[in-house]
Amino acid sequence: MSDELNSVLRSRREKLAELTRQGVEPFAYSFDRSNMAADASALLGTAEQGPSVRMAGRLVAWRAHGKTTFAHLGDASGRIQLYFRRDALGDARYALLDQFDLGDVIGIAGPLFRTRTGEVTVRVEEVTMLAKSLRPLPFGKEEIVDGVTTRHSGFTDPEQRYRQRYADLAVNPEVRMLFTARSRMVTAMRSFLDGRDYIEVETPVLQPLYGGAAARPFTTHHNALDMPLYLRIADELYLKRLIVGGFERVYEIGHDFRNEGIDRTHNPEFTMLEFYEAYADYQRMMSIVELLIERAADAVRSVPGVGETVPVLRPPFPRVEWVPQLMRAAGSDPRQMDDATLRNTALRVGVQHVDGLSRPKLLDELFQVLVESKLQEPTFVVDYPVELSPLAKPKRGDPTLTERFELFARGREVANAFSELNDPIDQRNRFDAQARLRAAGDDEASGVDEDYLRAMEYGMPPTGGVGIGLDRLFMYLTGTASIRDVILFPVMRPE
């Protein structure tokens, strides 16, 4: 910690002590607020003088001029100018302002008026300390050029924004608006599914056997039961158990966990929407996904400061087939290559760590590099090879493929969906194949889930299922480059 910061922290604690000495409670219990900052303009209208208001928020600007002080108060709706005068507050109360700092949370009361420059302002008659800030927030500096105010970040290290998201939110209203837009998106998607008679459910996060995706899990141990447990990598298998049980349309919005690398598009903890509909197939689910993504985009577009750049999405989205697209990009069908040729091809186009990848994983990585990364507009890729889709039904007319689609946009996977496999015998064979890959060293392959197979044996209706990564969807809609910018508290290496 620098000497300068030490000095600031010491000064703020000295002010805290002085407030306490004068009988001022520096950390209040409550404040009766009647107005938000954004209300002020409408309340004042075109008048020069307006009604009294009671507001609370954080001090985000401060300019003292002897017997008068101007400040700005920020709350969830915006900011408003405050005007303190010594003759209005009295000498003792005005002197207390010397103990105030940027970042303090205060409550004020007083009438609205318009300054000579036309700014709506509160003439403060009462002021209450609600929470004394003991550490300076990184507000940064503002400069005005040609009437446009530009605020420079006060964070010296960009990673501090993620480590101290609370400070990032406190000083950057645009970041608060971004996460407000994310919340609106999730609310809209939930409302869309509710309106189609889906019911929202909750399934286990701690699972005795992981499955539903190809990923390495986080492992923990339950002491009382003396057994290993895994943080779920997907919601899929439990949601399909509910389809067997008679819930014909279900969805879950929750966190999944994958013990994998961290980069611009991957965080070990992420938010997924999965939904399943009995008696539907992947073609029907494609139509639902198009409408759902359109609704999500409209919700984000409604948020000021965020929605102006959201793409206008109108179904239907383009559809391309997995095999022809990869054959065109690779110059031949990689599925027909022997293992050595496939590895050399993958190495040549930039796939990493090819020697440690299984054949299905090599095909997947090859597709990511040659095709997926180049899909900019929302595009459905359909009909995946069976070896890449252990939970999808075979494609009608070609059992080497499956009825599966993925939605890509700006080179990223946004959604993944199947005509769900409901044949328990076929499912066991595919689980066995996954178990062999796992035994051979593929730590992303799943094992055999006997309980799920038992559920299927009772009879699972034909079902369409979809998984949508909400983090990546929001990244696409807002043009955000890093997943860390759309997750409030991303996983970070310890300081």
Side-chain angles (χ1 to χ4, degrees):
M1 186 180 296
S2 68
D3 291 341
E4 180 181 0
L5 180 57
N6 269 323
S7 174
V8 172
L9 296 178
R10 187 165 51 251
S11 170
R12 292 199 174 207
R13 280 161 175 74
E14 289 170 355
K15 291 181 179 182
L16 173 70
E18 180 61 21
L19 288 170
T20 303
R21 189 189 69 78
Q22 295 192 39
V24 175
E25 171 55 62
F27 302 104
Y29 284 88
S30 65
F31 183 80
D32 184 16
R33 178 171 66 177
S34 61
N35 307 94
M36 302 292 286
D39 300 336
S41 181
L43 287 171
L44 186 58
T46 59
E48 296 300 312
Q49 304 292 327
S52 289
V53 295
R54 291 180 63 83
M55 298 181 178
R58 192 180 295 277
L59 287 173
V60 297
W62 188 264
R63 303 183 304 280
H65 304 285
K67 297 179 181 181
T68 63
T69 296
F70 284 92
H72 277 92
L73 182 81
D75 64 18
S77 72
R79 55 192 284 177
I80 187 170
Q81 182 167 264
L82 308 179
Y83 177 54
F84 302 89
R85 288 185 55 182
R86 187 168 70 180
D87 58 0
L89 290 173
D91 290 346
R93 284 195 297 168
Y94 189 79
L96 279 177
L97 299 185
D98 290 340
Q99 313 309 322
F100 285 26
D101 289 295
L102 285 180
D104 288 351
V105 180
I106 67 169
I108 58 93
L112 294 169
F113 76 101
R114 194 181 307 278
T115 65
R116 285 195 295 263
T117 59
E119 185 167 358
V120 178
T121 305
V122 181
R123 181 179 291 107
V124 178
E125 295 178 344
E126 299 176 27
V127 58
T128 305
M129 176 64 72
L130 302 179
K132 179 64 185 166
S133 171
L134 301 181
R135 180 177 292 271
L137 283 163
F139 280 106
K141 296 182 178 180
E142 290 186 353
E143 62 178 359
I144 301 176
V145 178
D146 297 329
V148 177
T149 300
T150 302
R151 183 164 46 79
H152 301 283
S153 174
F155 288 98
T156 55
D157 177 2
E159 287 207 350
Q160 284 183 306
R161 293 184 51 235
Y162 310 129
R163 297 183 187 279
Q164 301 181 32
R165 182 68 84 187
Y166 38 87
D168 182 33
L169 293 165
V171 302
N172 292 316
E174 65 276 11
V175 177
R176 295 201 299 271
M177 293 307 295
L178 183 73
F179 284 102
T180 297
R182 177 180 170 131
S183 178
R184 298 269 179 85
M185 179 190 78
V186 174
T187 298
M189 298 176 81
R190 181 178 275 118
S191 175
F192 175 90
L193 292 170
D194 290 343
R196 289 176 169 259
D197 296 326
Y198 283 79
I199 64 168
E200 185 172 11
V201 297
E202 296 172 344
T203 62
V205 173
L206 287 174
Q207 301 180 350
L209 183 66
Y210 61 93
R216 184 186 306 164
F218 287 94
T219 306
T220 186
H221 185 83
H222 193 289
N223 291 333
L225 297 178
D226 190 24
M227 62 179 287
L229 288 171
Y230 304 94
L231 293 181
R232 68 182 177 197
I233 60 173
D235 309 357
E236 177 171 346
L237 300 186
Y238 281 92
L239 290 172
K240 289 195 289 191
R241 285 172 168 94
L242 296 178
I243 294 289
V244 172
F247 287 111
E248 295 184 351
R249 298 184 180 191
V250 295
Y251 76 93
E252 182 170 13
I253 297 174
H255 283 200
D256 292 342
F257 306 85
R258 298 181 183 176
N259 198 350
E260 57 191 14
I262 298 174
D263 58 29
R264 290 189 308 108
T265 61
H266 292 86
N267 190 67
E269 179 180 2
F270 56 97
T271 306
M272 284 292 295
L273 161 65
E274 292 198 32
F275 59 99
Y276 294 82
E277 180 175 331
Y279 311 110
D281 66 3
Y282 78 143
Q283 293 289 349
R284 172 169 169 76
M285 303 313 280
M286 256 189 282
S287 299
I288 293 174
V289 167
E290 287 175 327
L291 297 173
L292 179 59
I293 299 296
E294 182 183 26
R295 177 75 66 86
D298 290 344
V300 176
R301 195 178 297 108
S302 71
V303 179
V306 179
E308 290 79 4
T309 59
V310 174
V312 176
L313 305 178
R314 294 292 177 259
F317 301 156
R319 289 159 166 75
V320 299
E321 297 178 23
W322 194 96
V323 172
Q325 287 295 118
L326 184 56
M327 288 178 61
R328 189 175 300 114
S332 62
D333 188 350
R335 296 179 304 162
Q336 306 304 319
M337 296 176 182
D338 59 42
D339 285 352
T341 304
L342 180 60
R343 291 186 191 281
N344 287 334
T345 301
L347 188 64
R348 188 178 71 251
V349 301
V351 175
Q352 303 293 315
H353 312 298
V354 296
D355 290 336
L357 298 180
S358 64
R359 185 176 181 88
K361 189 64 175 174
L362 279 169
L363 289 170
D364 187 43
E365 292 289 332
L366 200 60
F367 185 83
Q368 287 185 32
V369 172
L370 294 178
V371 181
E372 174 183 330
S373 62
K374 297 174 174 57
L375 297 174
Q376 294 303 306
E377 297 302 316
T379 303
F380 288 118
V381 176
V382 303
D383 302 340
Y384 279 61
V386 67
E387 57 263 46
L388 297 185
S389 311
L391 297 168
K393 284 184 75 68
K395 180 173 173 59
R396 284 161 277 197
D398 187 349
T400 68
L401 303 177
T402 58
E403 295 198 352
R404 175 187 177 188
F405 73 79
E406 288 190 289
L407 176 65
F408 297 99
R410 289 184 181 157
R412 302 169 183 150
E413 176 196 333
V414 175
N416 186 22
F418 311 141
S419 292
E420 300 293 339
L421 184 61
N422 63 337
D423 177 348
I425 297 173
D426 190 355
Q427 183 65 80
R428 179 176 290 279
N429 291 336
R430 297 200 203 182
F431 275 163
D432 286 342
Q434 286 288 301
R436 288 193 293 272
L437 289 172
R438 187 177 179 183
D442 185 349
D443 55 10
E444 293 190 350
S446 60
V448 178
D449 189 332
E450 292 289 352
D451 181 71
Y452 177 66
L453 289 170
R454 177 170 55 196
M456 290 186 72
E457 287 170 353
Y458 284 118
M460 187 175 104
T463 299
V466 175
I468 297 178
L470 297 187
D471 308 307
R472 289 185 182 175
L473 173 60
F474 190 64
M475 288 173 67
Y476 165 66
L477 293 176
T478 56
T480 305
S482 171
I483 197 170
R484 290 179 173 183
D485 289 317
V486 301
I487 294 176
L488 280 168
F489 298 102
V491 174
M492 302 288 292
R493 190 184 301 276
E495 291 184 271

